[in-house]
Structures are given as structure tokens and as C-alpha cells.
Amino acid sequence: MKYKNSFLALLFFSAIAFLACNGNKDAQQARIPQLSGYEGVAFAHIAVDSIVDMGVFDYDTPVKTQEVVVSNTGDAPLYLSTVAVECECTKICSVDSLVAPGEQGKIVVELDMNGYLTDTIFKSIHITSNDPERPIVFVELLADCRL
């Protein structure tokens, strides 16, 4: 438990640092110098909704499964190397780990809200890919708990 909390704290602060740099275009360009001057070279580009509404969770449906659509808007294949979750209530059921250019893939996510009180809950999934501009993407799963 001690290491799990340390890991979650490290993950949280890493996400904040990433998001802080992500909004600064100068920092983004400095972070990815290899993209300039490579006109005509194919790159993968990930496109995914930042928030996925999982709907209402109640006594009859405390567990739900949802597809998260991942699009490749680039010219090269998109490889989803890692899909991670932040807590035990979220489970990755399946991942289309290779998405062709111009195509869509899916990540099937299961969310178990048993034990949560009535509230709006956000849970994150973290997608790591070969997109040189956005190698890590965060997707928030929104759950309206009425348990």
C-alpha cells in the first residue's frame, strides 16, 4: 500500500508537469526538435475524446463497459504501446494496439462503481503511443453514481 500511494503521487505530479508543458507551444517545440525539417516524413497522430461519459451508475447497473474510440489522423501506423488505469475500479478489457492511418481503433474499458457514494466521479486512463507530438494522452471517464 505504501508503494502504491508513492506511485500514484509520482504519476499525479508527472501528469501535472506534462499538462503544464503541453499548453506552452514553445516548450512543445523544444521537446520535439526532430519534427522540424522533416516535411514529407509520415508520422502517427492520435485523436481521442478527452472526456468519455459513462452515464448513470445505480443499484441495477453498478458496472458498465464503454468503448473509447481512438483515431489515427496521421500518415503512419499508430501503435498504442500502453493503456494504464489509475485505480482498481477501472479495468481495460481490450485494446486495438495498431491503428492504420485514417482509421479508428477502440479501447474497451470497464468501470465498477460498487462502493462509491452518490457523486460525479472522474477516473483516468493514460494512453501511450508513438505519436511524436502527444506521446501520452489522458482520457477522463465520467460516471454519475447514484448508488
Side-chain angles (χ1 to χ4, degrees), residues 90-104:
T90 311
K91 180 176 125 185
I92 304 299
C93 298
S94 66
V95 176
D96 291 340
S97 57
L98 176 62
V99 182
E103 298 293 324
Q104 293 182 334

Side-chain angles (χ1 to χ4, degrees), residues 66-87:
Q66 177 81 29
E67 289 183 1
V68 177
V69 177
V70 178
S71 300
N72 181 2
T73 59
D75 299 324
L78 175 69
Y79 297 98
L80 305 180
S81 56
T82 307
V83 180
V85 297
E86 71 174 12
C87 80

Side-chain angles (χ1 to χ4, degrees), residues 3 9 13 21-22 44 83 101 128 130-131 140:
Y3 294 112
F13 288 113
C21 290
N22 206 20
V83 180
T128 305
N130 65 323
D131 181 337
E140 296 291 332

Side-chain angles (χ1 to χ4, degrees), residues 109-127:
V109 180
E110 180 182 275
L111 198 56
D112 184 349
M113 292 288 97
N114 276 311
Y116 283 84
L117 301 176
T118 302
D119 202 357
T120 300
I121 306 290
F122 286 93
K123 296 295 177 181
S124 294
I125 61 172
H126 314 274
I127 305 167

